[in-house]
Coordinates of all heavy atoms in Angstrom, one line a residue:
A1467 N -70.1 138.2 -200.1 CA -69.5 138.0 -198.8 C -69.9 138.9 -197.8 O -70.2 138.5 -196.5 CB -67.9 138.0 -199.0
G1468 N -70.3 140.2 -198.1 CA -70.7 141.1 -197.1 C -72.0 140.8 -196.6 O -72.4 141.0 -195.5
Y1469 N -72.9 140.4 -197.5 CA -74.3 140.1 -197.1 C -74.2 138.8 -196.1 O -74.9 138.7 -195.1 CB -75.1 139.7 -198.3 CG -76.5 139.4 -197.8 CD1 -77.5 140.4 -197.4 CD2 -77.0 138.0 -197.8 CE1 -78.8 140.1 -197.0 CE2 -78.4 137.8 -197.5 CZ -79.3 138.7 -197.0 OH -80.5 138.6 -196.8
Y1470 N -73.4 137.8 -196.5 CA -73.3 136.7 -195.6 C -72.8 137.0 -194.2 O -73.4 136.5 -193.3 CB -72.3 135.7 -196.2 CG -72.2 134.4 -195.4 CD1 -73.1 133.4 -195.3 CD2 -71.0 134.2 -194.6 CE1 -72.9 132.3 -194.6 CE2 -70.9 133.2 -193.8 CZ -71.8 132.1 -193.8 OH -71.7 131.0 -192.9
S1471 N -71.9 137.9 -194.1 CA -71.4 138.2 -192.7 C -72.4 138.9 -192.0 O -72.5 138.9 -190.8 CB -70.0 139.0 -192.8 OG -70.2 140.2 -193.4
Y1472 N -73.3 139.8 -192.7 CA -74.4 140.4 -192.1 C -75.3 139.5 -191.6 O -75.9 139.5 -190.4 CB -75.0 141.4 -193.1 CG -76.2 142.1 -192.6 CD1 -76.1 143.1 -191.6 CD2 -77.5 141.7 -192.9 CE1 -77.2 143.8 -191.2 CE2 -78.7 142.3 -192.5 CZ -78.5 143.4 -191.6 OH -79.6 144.0 -191.2
K1473 N -75.7 138.6 -192.3 CA -76.7 137.5 -191.8 C -76.1 136.7 -190.7 O -76.7 136.3 -189.8 CB -77.0 136.5 -193.0 CG -78.1 136.9 -193.7 CD -79.4 137.0 -192.8 CE -80.6 137.5 -193.6 NZ -81.8 137.9 -192.7
W1474 N -74.8 136.4 -190.7 CA -74.1 135.6 -189.7 C -74.2 136.4 -188.4 O -74.4 135.7 -187.4 CB -72.7 135.3 -190.1 CG -72.1 134.3 -188.9 CD1 -70.9 134.7 -188.2 CD2 -72.5 133.0 -188.6 NE1 -70.7 133.6 -187.4 CE2 -71.6 132.7 -187.5 CE3 -73.5 132.1 -189.0 CZ2 -71.7 131.4 -186.9 CZ3 -73.7 130.9 -188.3 CH2 -72.8 130.6 -187.3
A1475 N -74.1 137.7 -188.3 CA -74.2 138.6 -187.3 C -75.6 138.5 -186.6 O -75.8 138.5 -185.4 CB -73.8 140.0 -187.6
E1476 N -76.5 138.4 -187.6 CA -78.0 138.2 -187.1 C -78.3 136.8 -186.4 O -78.9 136.9 -185.5 CB -79.0 138.4 -188.4 CG -79.0 139.8 -188.8 CD -80.2 139.9 -189.9 OE1 -81.4 139.5 -189.5 OE2 -79.9 140.1 -191.2
V1477 N -77.6 135.9 -186.9 CA -77.6 134.5 -186.3 C -77.1 134.7 -184.8 O -77.8 134.3 -183.8 CB -76.9 133.5 -187.0 CG1 -76.8 132.3 -186.2 CG2 -77.6 133.2 -188.3
L1478 N -75.9 135.2 -184.7 CA -75.3 135.3 -183.3 C -76.2 136.2 -182.5 O -76.3 136.0 -181.3 CB -73.9 135.9 -183.5 CG -72.8 135.1 -184.2 CD1 -71.6 135.7 -184.4 CD2 -72.6 133.8 -183.7
S1479 N -76.7 137.3 -183.1 CA -77.4 138.3 -182.2 C -78.6 137.6 -181.7 O -79.1 137.6 -180.5 CB -77.8 139.4 -183.0 OG -78.6 140.3 -182.4
A1480 N -79.5 136.8 -182.7 CA -80.7 136.3 -182.1 C -80.4 135.2 -181.2 O -81.2 134.9 -180.2 CB -81.4 135.7 -183.5
D1481 N -79.4 134.4 -181.5 CA -79.1 133.3 -180.5 C -78.7 133.8 -179.3 O -79.1 133.3 -178.2 CB -78.1 132.4 -181.2 CG -78.0 131.1 -180.6 OD1 -78.9 130.7 -179.7 OD2 -77.3 130.2 -181.0
A1482 N -77.8 134.8 -179.1 CA -77.6 135.4 -177.9 C -78.8 136.0 -177.1 O -79.0 135.7 -175.9 CB -76.5 136.4 -178.0
W1483 N -79.6 136.7 -177.9 CA -80.9 137.2 -177.3 C -81.7 136.1 -176.8 O -82.5 136.3 -175.7 CB -81.8 138.0 -178.2 CG -82.9 138.5 -177.7 CD1 -84.2 138.2 -178.1 CD2 -83.1 139.6 -176.6 NE1 -85.1 138.8 -177.3 CE2 -84.5 139.6 -176.3 CE3 -82.2 140.2 -175.8 CZ2 -85.0 140.5 -175.4 CZ3 -82.7 141.1 -174.9 CH2 -84.1 141.2 -174.7
S1484 N -81.8 134.8 -177.3 CA -82.6 133.8 -176.9 C -82.1 133.3 -175.6 O -83.0 132.8 -174.8 CB -82.6 132.6 -178.0 OG -81.3 132.0 -177.9
A1485 N -81.0 133.6 -175.1 CA -80.6 133.2 -173.8 C -81.3 134.0 -172.8 O -81.7 133.6 -171.7 CB -79.1 133.4 -173.5
F1486 N -81.6 135.3 -173.1 CA -82.3 136.2 -172.2 C -83.9 135.7 -172.2 O -84.5 135.8 -171.3 CB -82.3 137.7 -172.6 CG -80.8 138.1 -172.4 CD1 -79.7 138.1 -173.3 CD2 -80.5 138.8 -171.1 CE1 -78.6 138.6 -173.1 CE2 -79.3 139.2 -170.9 CZ -78.2 139.2 -171.8
E1487 N -84.3 135.4 -173.4 CA -85.6 134.8 -173.6 C -85.8 133.5 -172.7 O -86.9 133.4 -172.0 CB -86.1 134.5 -175.0 CG -86.1 135.9 -175.8 CD -86.3 135.5 -177.3 OE1 -85.9 134.4 -177.8 OE2 -87.1 136.4 -177.9
E1488 N -84.9 132.8 -172.7 CA -84.9 131.5 -172.0 C -84.9 131.8 -170.5 O -85.8 131.2 -169.8 CB -83.8 130.5 -172.3 CG -83.8 130.0 -173.7 CD -82.5 129.4 -174.2 OE1 -81.6 129.4 -173.4 OE2 -82.5 129.2 -175.3
S1489 N -84.2 132.8 -170.0 CA -84.1 133.2 -168.6 C -85.6 133.8 -168.3 O -86.0 133.6 -167.1 CB -83.0 134.1 -168.3 OG -83.2 135.3 -168.9
A1490 N -86.1 134.5 -169.1 CA -87.4 135.0 -168.9 C -88.5 134.0 -168.7 O -89.3 134.1 -167.8 CB -87.9 135.9 -170.0
A1491 N -88.4 132.9 -169.4 CA -89.4 131.8 -169.2 C -89.2 131.1 -167.8 O -90.2 130.7 -167.2 CB -89.1 130.8 -170.3
E1492 N -88.0 131.1 -167.3 CA -87.8 130.6 -166.0 C -87.9 131.6 -164.9 O -88.4 131.2 -163.9 CB -86.2 130.0 -165.9 CG -86.0 128.9 -166.9 CD -84.5 128.6 -166.9 OE1 -83.7 129.0 -165.9 OE2 -84.0 127.8 -167.8
R1493 N -87.4 132.8 -165.1 CA -87.5 133.7 -164.1 C -88.4 135.0 -164.2 O -88.4 135.8 -163.3 CB -86.1 134.4 -163.9 CG -85.1 133.3 -163.5 CD -83.6 133.8 -163.4 NE -82.7 132.7 -163.2 CZ -82.0 132.1 -164.0 NH1 -82.1 132.4 -165.2 NH2 -81.2 131.1 -163.7
G1494 N -89.2 135.0 -165.3 CA -90.2 136.1 -165.4 C -89.9 137.3 -166.1 O -90.6 138.2 -166.3
S1495 N -88.5 137.5 -166.5 CA -88.1 138.8 -167.0 C -86.8 138.5 -167.9 O -86.0 137.8 -167.5 CB -87.8 139.8 -166.1 OG -87.3 141.0 -166.6
V1496 N -86.8 139.3 -169.2 CA -85.5 139.3 -169.9 C -84.4 139.9 -169.3 O -83.2 139.9 -169.5 CB -85.7 139.7 -171.3 CG1 -86.6 138.8 -172.1 CG2 -86.3 141.1 -171.4
L1497 N -84.8 140.8 -168.2 CA -83.8 141.5 -167.5 C -83.3 140.8 -166.2 O -83.2 141.2 -165.1 CB -84.5 142.9 -167.0 CG -85.0 143.8 -168.0 CD1 -85.7 145.1 -167.5 CD2 -83.9 144.2 -169.1
D1498 N -82.7 139.6 -166.6 CA -82.1 138.7 -165.6 C -80.7 139.1 -165.4 O -79.9 139.1 -166.2 CB -82.3 137.3 -166.2 CG -81.7 136.4 -165.1 OD1 -82.2 136.3 -164.0 OD2 -80.7 135.6 -165.7
V1499 N -80.4 139.3 -164.1 CA -79.1 139.8 -163.7 C -78.1 138.7 -163.9 O -77.0 139.0 -164.6 CB -79.1 140.1 -162.2 CG1 -77.7 140.3 -161.8 CG2 -80.0 141.4 -161.9
E1500 N -78.3 137.5 -163.6 CA -77.4 136.3 -163.8 C -77.0 136.3 -165.3 O -75.8 136.1 -165.7 CB -77.9 135.1 -163.4 CG -77.0 133.8 -163.4 CD -77.7 132.6 -163.0 OE1 -78.4 132.7 -161.9 OE2 -77.5 131.5 -163.7
T1501 N -78.0 136.3 -166.3 CA -77.7 136.1 -167.6 C -77.0 137.3 -168.2 O -76.0 137.2 -169.0 CB -79.0 136.0 -168.5 OG1 -79.8 134.9 -167.9 CG2 -78.9 135.7 -170.0
G1502 N -77.4 138.6 -167.8 CA -76.6 139.8 -168.1 C -75.2 139.8 -167.6 O -74.3 140.1 -168.4
R1503 N -74.9 139.3 -166.4 CA -73.5 139.2 -165.9 C -72.7 138.2 -166.8 O -71.6 138.4 -167.1 CB -73.6 138.8 -164.4 CG -72.2 138.8 -163.8 CD -72.3 138.5 -162.3 NE -72.9 139.6 -161.7 CZ -74.0 139.5 -160.8 NH1 -74.6 138.3 -160.7 NH2 -74.5 140.5 -160.2
R1504 N -73.4 137.1 -167.1 CA -72.7 136.1 -167.9 C -72.3 136.6 -169.3 O -71.3 136.4 -169.8 CB -73.5 134.9 -168.0 CG -72.8 133.6 -168.4 CD -73.6 132.2 -168.4 NE -74.5 132.3 -169.5 CZ -75.9 132.2 -169.4 NH1 -76.4 132.3 -168.3 NH2 -76.6 132.3 -170.5
Y1505 N -73.1 137.4 -169.9 CA -72.9 138.0 -171.1 C -71.8 139.0 -171.0 O -70.9 139.1 -171.8 CB -74.4 138.7 -171.7 CG -74.0 139.4 -173.0 CD1 -73.9 138.8 -174.2 CD2 -73.9 140.8 -173.0 CE1 -73.6 139.4 -175.4 CE2 -73.7 141.5 -174.1 CZ -73.5 140.8 -175.3 OH -73.3 141.4 -176.5
R1506 N -72.0 139.8 -169.9 CA -70.8 140.8 -169.8 C -69.5 140.2 -169.6 O -68.5 140.6 -170.3 CB -71.2 141.7 -168.6 CG -70.2 142.8 -168.3 CD -70.3 143.6 -167.0 NE -69.8 142.7 -166.0 CZ -70.3 142.7 -164.8 NH1 -71.3 143.3 -164.5 NH2 -69.7 141.9 -163.9
Q1507 N -69.4 139.1 -168.8 CA -68.2 138.5 -168.5 C -67.6 137.7 -169.7 O -66.5 137.7 -170.0 CB -68.2 137.6 -167.3 CG -68.5 138.4 -166.1 CD -68.8 137.5 -164.9 OE1 -69.2 136.3 -165.0 NE2 -68.6 138.0 -163.6
S1508 N -68.6 136.9 -170.4 CA -68.1 136.1 -171.5 C -67.9 137.0 -172.8 O -66.9 136.5 -173.6 CB -69.2 135.2 -171.9 OG -69.5 134.3 -170.6
V1509 N -68.6 138.0 -173.0 CA -68.5 138.7 -174.4 C -67.8 140.1 -174.2 O -66.8 140.4 -174.9 CB -69.9 138.8 -175.0 CG1 -69.8 139.5 -176.4 CG2 -70.5 137.4 -175.3
L1510 N -68.4 140.9 -173.3 CA -68.0 142.4 -173.4 C -66.6 142.5 -172.8 O -65.8 143.1 -173.3 CB -69.1 143.2 -172.6 CG -70.4 143.2 -173.3 CD1 -71.3 144.0 -172.3 CD2 -70.5 143.7 -174.6
E1511 N -66.4 141.8 -171.6 CA -65.1 142.0 -171.0 C -64.0 141.4 -171.7 O -62.8 141.8 -171.7 CB -65.1 141.3 -169.5 CG -66.0 142.2 -168.6 CD -66.1 141.6 -167.2 OE1 -65.5 140.6 -166.9 OE2 -66.9 142.2 -166.4
A1512 N -64.3 140.3 -172.5 CA -63.3 139.5 -173.2 C -62.8 140.5 -174.4 O -61.6 140.5 -174.8 CB -63.7 138.2 -173.8
G1513 N -63.7 141.3 -174.9 CA -63.4 142.2 -176.1 C -62.7 141.5 -177.2 O -63.2 140.4 -177.6
G1514 N -61.6 142.0 -177.6 CA -60.9 141.4 -178.8 C -59.8 140.5 -178.4 O -59.0 140.2 -179.2
S1515 N -59.7 140.1 -177.1 CA -58.8 139.2 -176.6 C -58.9 137.7 -177.2 O -58.0 136.9 -177.0 CB -58.7 139.2 -175.1 OG -59.8 138.7 -174.6
R1516 N -60.2 137.5 -177.7 CA -60.4 136.2 -178.2 C -61.3 136.3 -179.4 O -61.9 137.3 -179.6 CB -60.8 135.1 -177.2 CG -62.2 135.5 -176.6 CD -62.6 134.5 -175.6 NE -63.9 134.9 -174.9 CZ -64.2 134.5 -173.7 NH1 -63.4 133.7 -173.0 NH2 -65.3 134.9 -173.2
S1517 N -61.5 135.2 -180.2 CA -62.5 135.4 -181.3 C -63.8 135.5 -180.8 O -64.2 135.1 -179.8 CB -62.3 134.1 -182.2 OG -62.9 133.0 -181.5
A1518 N -64.6 136.1 -181.8 CA -66.1 136.3 -181.4 C -66.7 135.0 -181.2 O -67.6 134.8 -180.3 CB -66.8 137.1 -182.6
M1519 N -66.3 134.0 -182.0 CA -66.9 132.6 -181.8 C -66.6 132.0 -180.3 O -67.6 131.4 -179.8 CB -66.4 131.6 -182.9 CG -67.1 130.3 -182.8 SD -68.8 130.2 -183.1 CE -69.0 130.5 -184.6
D1520 N -65.4 132.1 -180.0 CA -65.0 131.7 -178.5 C -65.8 132.4 -177.5 O -66.3 131.8 -176.6 CB -63.5 131.8 -178.3 CG -62.7 130.8 -179.2 OD1 -63.3 129.9 -179.6 OD2 -61.5 131.1 -179.3
S1521 N -65.9 133.8 -177.7 CA -66.8 134.5 -176.8 C -68.2 134.0 -176.7 O -68.8 133.9 -175.7 CB -66.7 136.0 -177.1 OG -65.5 136.4 -176.8
F1522 N -68.9 133.8 -177.9 CA -70.2 133.3 -178.1 C -70.3 132.1 -177.4 O -71.2 131.8 -176.5 CB -70.7 133.2 -179.6 CG -72.0 132.8 -179.6 CD1 -73.1 133.6 -179.6 CD2 -72.3 131.4 -179.7 CE1 -74.4 133.2 -179.7 CE2 -73.6 130.9 -179.8 CZ -74.7 131.8 -179.8
K1523 N -69.4 131.1 -177.5 CA -69.4 129.7 -177.0 C -69.4 129.9 -175.5 O -69.8 129.0 -174.8 CB -68.5 128.8 -177.6 CG -68.8 128.4 -179.0 CD -68.0 127.2 -179.4 CE -66.7 127.7 -180.2 NZ -65.8 126.5 -180.8
A1524 N -68.5 130.7 -175.0 CA -68.3 130.9 -173.6 C -69.7 131.4 -173.0 O -70.1 131.1 -171.9 CB -67.2 131.9 -173.2
F1525 N -70.4 132.3 -173.6 CA -71.6 132.7 -173.2 C -72.8 131.8 -173.3 O -73.4 131.4 -172.3 CB -72.1 134.0 -174.0 CG -73.5 134.5 -173.6 CD1 -73.8 134.9 -172.4 CD2 -74.4 134.5 -174.5 CE1 -75.0 135.3 -172.1 CE2 -75.7 135.0 -174.3 CZ -76.0 135.4 -173.0
R1526 N -72.9 131.1 -174.4 CA -74.0 130.2 -174.7 C -73.7 128.7 -174.2 O -74.6 127.9 -174.0 CB -74.5 130.2 -176.1 CG -75.2 131.4 -176.5 CD -76.5 131.7 -175.7 NE -77.5 130.9 -176.4 CZ -78.6 130.4 -175.7 NH1 -78.7 130.6 -174.5 NH2 -79.5 129.8 -176.4
G1527 N -72.4 128.5 -174.1 CA -72.1 127.0 -173.8 C -72.2 126.0 -174.9 O -72.3 124.8 -174.6
R1528 N -72.3 126.7 -176.2 CA -72.5 125.8 -177.3 C -72.2 126.5 -178.6 O -72.1 127.9 -178.4 CB -73.9 125.1 -177.3 CG -75.0 126.2 -177.4 CD -76.3 125.7 -177.7 NE -77.4 126.6 -177.6 CZ -77.7 127.6 -178.5 NH1 -76.9 127.7 -179.5 NH2 -78.7 128.4 -178.2
E1529 N -72.2 125.9 -179.6 CA -72.0 126.5 -181.0 C -73.4 127.3 -181.3 O -74.4 127.0 -180.8 CB -71.9 125.5 -182.1 CG -70.6 124.7 -182.0 CD -69.5 125.4 -182.7 OE1 -69.6 126.1 -183.6 OE2 -68.3 125.1 -182.2
P1530 N -73.3 128.4 -182.1 CA -74.5 129.1 -182.4 C -75.4 128.2 -183.4 O -75.0 127.4 -184.0 CB -74.0 130.4 -183.4 CG -72.6 130.2 -183.5 CD -72.2 128.9 -182.7
R1531 N -76.7 128.5 -183.2 CA -77.8 127.8 -183.8 C -78.6 128.8 -184.6 O -78.9 129.9 -184.1 CB -78.6 127.0 -182.9 CG -77.9 125.8 -182.3 CD -78.8 125.1 -181.5 NE -78.1 124.2 -180.4 CZ -78.4 123.8 -179.3 NH1 -79.5 124.3 -178.8 NH2 -77.6 123.0 -178.6
I1532 N -79.1 128.4 -185.7 CA -79.9 129.3 -186.5 C -81.4 129.4 -186.1 O -82.2 130.3 -186.4 CB -79.9 128.9 -188.0 CG1 -80.6 129.8 -189.0 CG2 -80.3 127.5 -188.2 CD1 -80.5 129.5 -190.3
D1533 N -81.8 128.5 -185.2 CA -83.2 128.5 -184.8 C -83.8 129.8 -184.2 O -84.9 130.0 -184.6 CB -83.4 127.4 -183.7 CG -82.8 126.0 -184.0 OD1 -82.4 125.8 -185.2 OD2 -82.9 125.1 -183.1
A1534 N -83.2 130.5 -183.5 CA -83.6 131.8 -183.0 C -83.8 132.8 -184.0 O -84.9 133.4 -184.0 CB -82.7 132.4 -181.9
L1535 N -83.0 132.8 -185.0 CA -83.3 133.8 -186.1 C -84.5 133.5 -186.9 O -85.2 134.3 -187.3 CB -81.9 133.8 -187.0 CG -82.1 134.8 -188.2 CD1 -82.1 136.3 -187.7 CD2 -80.9 134.6 -189.1
L1536 N -84.5 132.1 -187.2 CA -85.8 131.7 -188.0 C -87.0 132.1 -187.2 O -88.1 132.5 -187.8 CB -85.7 130.1 -188.2 CG -84.6 129.8 -189.2 CD1 -84.5 128.3 -189.3 CD2 -84.7 130.4 -190.6
R1537 N -87.0 131.8 -185.9 CA -88.2 132.2 -185.1 C -88.5 133.6 -185.0 O -89.6 134.1 -185.2 CB -87.9 131.5 -183.7 CG -89.2 131.7 -182.7 CD -89.0 131.1 -181.5 NE -88.1 131.8 -180.5 CZ -86.8 131.5 -180.3 NH1 -86.3 130.3 -180.7 NH2 -86.0 132.3 -179.6
H1538 N -87.5 134.4 -184.8 CA -87.6 135.8 -184.8 C -88.2 136.4 -186.1 O -88.7 137.5 -186.1 CB -86.3 136.6 -184.4 CG -85.9 136.3 -182.9 ND1 -84.7 136.6 -182.5 CD2 -86.7 135.7 -182.0 CE1 -84.7 136.4 -181.2 NE2 -85.9 135.7 -180.9
Q1539 N -87.8 135.8 -187.2 CA -88.3 136.3 -188.4 C -89.5 135.5 -189.0 O -90.0 135.9 -190.0 CB -87.1 136.1 -189.6 CG -86.0 137.0 -189.3 CD -84.9 136.9 -190.4 OE1 -84.9 136.0 -191.2 NE2 -84.1 138.0 -190.3
G1540 N -90.2 134.8 -188.0 CA -91.4 134.2 -188.4 C -91.4 132.9 -189.3 O -92.3 132.6 -189.9
L1541 N -90.1 132.4 -189.4 CA -90.0 131.3 -190.4 C -90.0 129.9 -189.7 O -90.0 128.9 -190.4 CB -88.6 131.4 -191.1 CG -88.6 132.7 -192.0 CD1 -87.3 132.9 -192.6 CD2 -89.7 132.7 -193.0
A1542 N -90.1 129.9 -188.4 CA -90.1 128.6 -187.7 C -91.2 128.7 -186.6 O -91.5 129.7 -186.1 CB -88.9 128.2 -187.1

């Protein structure tokens, strides 16, 4: 169970980072203020007031996907 939760955290992390990668494709840099602000408001400011899944969905606007993790590990 511990390993599964660790992998799930990697899925969420990679998928969240892919939002910054997507903004870089559009705006030229992963250091996009709008994406960073959305992350701060949706995830960091919410803290423990809601579930991690709800915070993730508020940030990405969808359920997490495994695609980014597979791509980052060279499997896709």
Side-chain angles (χ1 to χ4, degrees):
Y1469 183 75
Y1470 177 79
S1471 64
Y1472 174 76
K1473 266 304 177 197
W1474 184 243
E1476 284 188 70
V1477 168
L1478 296 177
S1479 173
D1481 199 1
W1483 177 249
S1484 69
F1486 291 90
E1487 292 175 327
E1488 291 162 9
S1489 69
E1492 295 174 13
R1493 297 179 182 97
S1495 173
V1496 293
L1497 301 177
D1498 178 56
V1499 172
E1500 183 180 318
T1501 306
R1503 185 175 292 123
R1504 197 172 76 244
Y1505 178 74
R1506 186 190 73 216
Q1507 292 170 340
S1508 302
V1509 178
L1510 300 178
E1511 288 179 4
S1515 67
R1516 64 180 174 203
S1517 72
M1519 182 61 74
D1520 288 342
S1521 291
F1522 181 88
K1523 287 193 271 188
F1525 174 59
R1526 290 296 276 150
R1528 60 170 172 73
E1529 296 277 332
R1531 297 183 191 146
I1532 186 173
D1533 304 356
L1535 178 64
L1536 294 175
R1537 188 177 69 253
H1538 290 168
Q1539 293 186 345
L1541 300 172

